[in-house]
Structures are given as C-alpha cells and as structure tokens.
Amino acid sequence: MIKTTLTLERFSPHGDLLEKREQESRSWLKHFLDLLYLPCARFDYTTNDIGGTPRGLCGFIDSTSAWGTLKVASTPGNTQICVHTASGGSAAYCRDTPQKGEDIGIVVGTGNAAVTPAQDALQTKVNHGEGAGQLLYGGCELYGLTFADPNGQFTIRRYFTNVLGGNITIEEVGIYTPGVTGAIPNPTTSCYIFCAARDLTGGVLVANGELLRVTYVVQITV
Amino acid sequence: MGTEIKAIPKLDVIKEEEIPHILEPGEVGAILELIVSNKDGKVTEQRVLKSKSFVQQFLQLLFVKFAISPTVAPISIRDTGNTLRAVYDTTYTFDTAAGVTVVTYGIIIGTGVVAPTISDYAIGIIIPHATMNYSACTYGAPAADATTSQFTITRNFANVSGGPVTVNEIALYCRAYYTAAIGYFMLIRDVIAGGIAVPNGQTLTVNYRLQAIV
C-alpha cells in the first residue's frame, strides 16, 4: 500500500520557520493511473491534459532511450526542461521536447474547490514570476529513496519564493507530469502536461519575501 | 528462455459500478480478486481482498520513472534472479504485458507461504507453465467514480497438472531496462491466507486492480 504525506512549511526572508503543516495526501488522481497504465499495459490511451483537451498518448516504443511520460523531477521556473519524446518508433529518432520547468513537478494554486478523481488540473495555478500573484518556482527535487522493513519512501520537494507577489494564499497543491503523444509504434515529438495529484491545504498565506517549501513523501508499507 | 507468443491484448472498460471500494481515503494500492471457474465457466470460488505488499522494487521503479533516471545515474535494483541491476528509464519501465506461456513477467503464481517483506525480490516457489497454463495478461482501461480511480491487470491460469493445485502466493512482475539488457523485477507479492485451491481442469483468474482513492 502506498501512502503520501504532504508538508507545507513557510519561512521568513531570513530563513526562520514561521509555519509548518503536515497532512496525509489524499489525492492521487485518475491521470496518475492513466500515465502508469501506458507502460504497464503497453496500450495507447487518450486522456485529458491540464487544459481539458483529450490527448492520445503512446503506450510503448521499442527503444532503450529515456521516455518523458510521468516525469516529475524538474528545473526551476521558466528554464527549459527537456522531455524525452520520439518519432518513427526508433531510438535513432528520439527527441528532447522543451517545456518550462514550472509546468512539471509540484505546482501550487489558489483554488479551493473539492478534489475529485477525474479532474484535469489545479483550479487556479499560481504561475512562476516576480509580479503580483506570482511565485518563483525552484527546481523540483527527488531524493531520499530509503528502505527499512516494513517501510520504504522517497521525497519530492519544491521551493516557492514570493518576491513581489503581495500576499498569496496557497489553497491547493498538486503534481504535474508530461505524457508523450502518438500511437504504437510511432510516438510523436509532442508532449502535453497532466495533473497526477491535487490536494487542498486549508490555506497557507505566503507574504512578500517569504518562502514556501512543499514536500511530498511517498511511502510504501508491506 | 521460452519463446514468447504474442497475443492481441483484450481491452475492457470497467464500468463505474464494478469498482470495488476496499482501500482507505488517500491510499494508492491494489485490490486482488481471485476467481476459480470450471470448464463451463461457472464460478466455483471468488475472493476479493486488499493487496498488501508493494515491495521495494515498485518504489525504486517509481523513482526511476519520476526522475527519468538517466544512464549516467541509474538506480540499483534487485531483479527476480537476486542480482542488482543498474536500471535507467525507458519505455520498458513497468511493462507487465506478458504474452501466453511467459513466466518472467506479468502476474505470477506460486506455492510459497512465507510472509512478504519489503525486500522480497521474487515469488517464493513459482508454479510453472504447463502445471498451470499462463494466459497473456489483459487490461481494463482506467476508469473513475466519485472517489476511486483504477485500472485492471488480468491473467488466467488453467490447471492442466492432472491434480489439484493450491495457489498460496501471487505476484506482479514487470520489465525494465538496465545496462544494455531487459531485466525482470517484482512489484507486488501477496500471500493468500489458506491458499486458493484450483481443481484439475479449472481456471484461476487473477485481477489486480490498481486504485487511487481521494
């Protein structure tokens, strides 16, 4: 069984911990299973991206190159992240499709609508930036893969900095991940973004200059 | 290794009312459904239980997938032959789509009764093909109701041994790529309390329903 803990920590501009909230994450969505189903079953499958548009995703390519579907680790903000795609069904045609770092990994938002399994996106994502209502997205890290019977875990973490955004109340947190389009054996060089998880926070106010650290710990127990 | 016979996978869309609800809110896990049926297709036994035992390799491969672990920074994962392999991400990661007769991946059955631990890397005692004939794995597409998302992996095992067979353990194996080769890794191992008896000539159908509950 897999359980996930979500922790939100708010820090002052000087690095002092101002607030810490820990809760059980309840919200791995259908799109997480959609993207796990693709390699598991080796079937193509169509599901909605974060814009609510159905996208035909490729289940398999007989290639030993990396494959971008279900990528969660990400680069900061609007720096480029390469998502591994392909065309022609061969490793020789593998491509790196550029995306923005803020569109993959942990994301935050201000919407507080209830979570349902089949929803496509955060209600109101806070975008990366230094303007009003924006936060600087750090890189999304994966680390801490450890085991001690009967448990195992790893951590997904991202920092968000409020530079000049005014007060922003984070009501929702989620995980975005890409899926590679196309059909077996011919994937395309395109990918789209899907919402794998979404949780409500109860509201965490991040003031100007403050920093928010969001941490998911994914744990299995035998 | 035996010749793999490719079969056309069967795709069933699971209706919402057929989603069993056993897991707790927030859990991601699997429901294990066991059905024994005779030659006429009549069900002689059916059990639905919570799969308890995602093992170490599942979390390691999820990490590989989330990180898109590259060839220059692979994750060391123990395969079903008890050898550590330097695994990196490819489209093979999590491939469970085994064909008929294949016992190296997909749903696997055995007779072992030792309780699972997180470091289990293989089924205790595998029941070979030709004792129980392994079908190809088939899949039910993802579906969701108001609280639960799921997809289903199914495999049939026909008892052709000439006598009864008791299945005590069930596992899910997958493929993943390591240093220039395809490896086989165990994701889940469940021990069935008391076992499930399959008389000669009857078929055991195993459904693993991977679920996420909000």
Side-chain angles (χ1 to χ4, degrees), chain A residues 17-222:
Chain A
L17 180 62
L18 303 174
E19 180 181 2
K20 179 176 181 177
R21 293 191 194 183
E22 186 172 300
Q23 64 189 68
E24 192 173 281
S25 168
R26 293 184 52 170
S27 304
W28 289 97
L29 305 178
K30 176 176 175 287
H31 294 314
F32 169 64
L33 291 183
D34 292 341
L35 297 181
L36 188 59
Y37 168 81
L38 291 163
C40 207
R42 289 176 56 172
F43 277 120
D44 301 330
Y45 186 66
T46 297
T47 193
N48 287 358
D49 68 10
I50 55 172
T53 303
R55 305 291 183 185
L57 300 179
C58 183
F60 182 76
I61 174 177
D62 189 11
S63 163
T64 58
S65 294
W67 188 243
T69 297
L70 261 181
K71 186 184 187 98
V72 170
S74 187
T75 55
N78 56 15
T79 60
Q80 178 171 296
I81 179 171
C82 290
V83 175
H84 302 286
T85 60
S87 65
S90 164
Y93 297 101
C94 281
R95 297 285 185 273
D96 289 330
T97 300
Q99 296 284 326
K100 289 187 297 181
E102 69 162 307
D103 290 335
I104 294 172
I106 297 174
V107 291
V108 295
T110 57
N112 59 10
V115 177
T116 60
Q119 63 192 182
D120 296 325
L122 264 59
Q123 184 183 355
T124 312
K125 176 177 175 279
V126 172
N127 290 323
H128 169 80
E130 300 179 48
Q134 297 180 323
L135 296 169
L136 288 180
Y137 278 55
C140 187
E141 309 163 286
L142 265 73
Y143 68 98
L145 180 61
T146 55
F147 297 92
D149 195 36
N151 301 315
Q153 68 178 47
F154 67 78
T155 299
I156 310 167
R157 183 173 70 184
R158 190 167 220 166
Y159 288 88
F160 301 86
T161 308
N162 189 344
V163 180
L164 290 169
N167 290 345
I168 301 174
T169 300
I170 300 303
E171 298 277 1
E172 54 183 341
V173 176
I175 297 175
Y176 280 5
T177 181
V180 178
T181 60
I184 297 171
N186 291 305
T188 71
T189 55
S190 294
C191 68
Y192 292 91
I193 306 300
F194 300 84
C195 186
R198 177 172 178 259
D199 280 286
L200 297 180
T201 69
V204 175
L205 193 150
V206 183
N208 265 346
E210 292 183 354
L211 181 146
L212 176 69
R213 180 165 70 191
V214 179
T215 306
Y216 281 96
V217 177
V218 182
Q219 183 177 72
I220 61 169
T221 301
V222 170

Side-chain angles (χ1 to χ4, degrees), chain A residues 64-68 71-74 81-84 96 142, chain B residues 60-77 85-91 93 177-180:
Chain A
T64 58
S65 294
W67 188 243
K71 186 184 187 98
V72 170
S74 187
I81 179 171
C82 290
V83 175
H84 302 286
D96 289 330
L142 265 73
Chain B
Q60 290 172 315
L61 287 169
L62 191 63
F63 187 94
V64 165
K65 204 85 199 88
F66 280 2
I68 313 294
S69 296
T71 55
V72 293
I75 301 295
S76 182
I77 305 178
R85 305 292 190 185
V87 176
Y88 50 91
D89 184 57
T90 69
T91 59
T93 309
Y177 215 80
Y178 67 94
T179 319

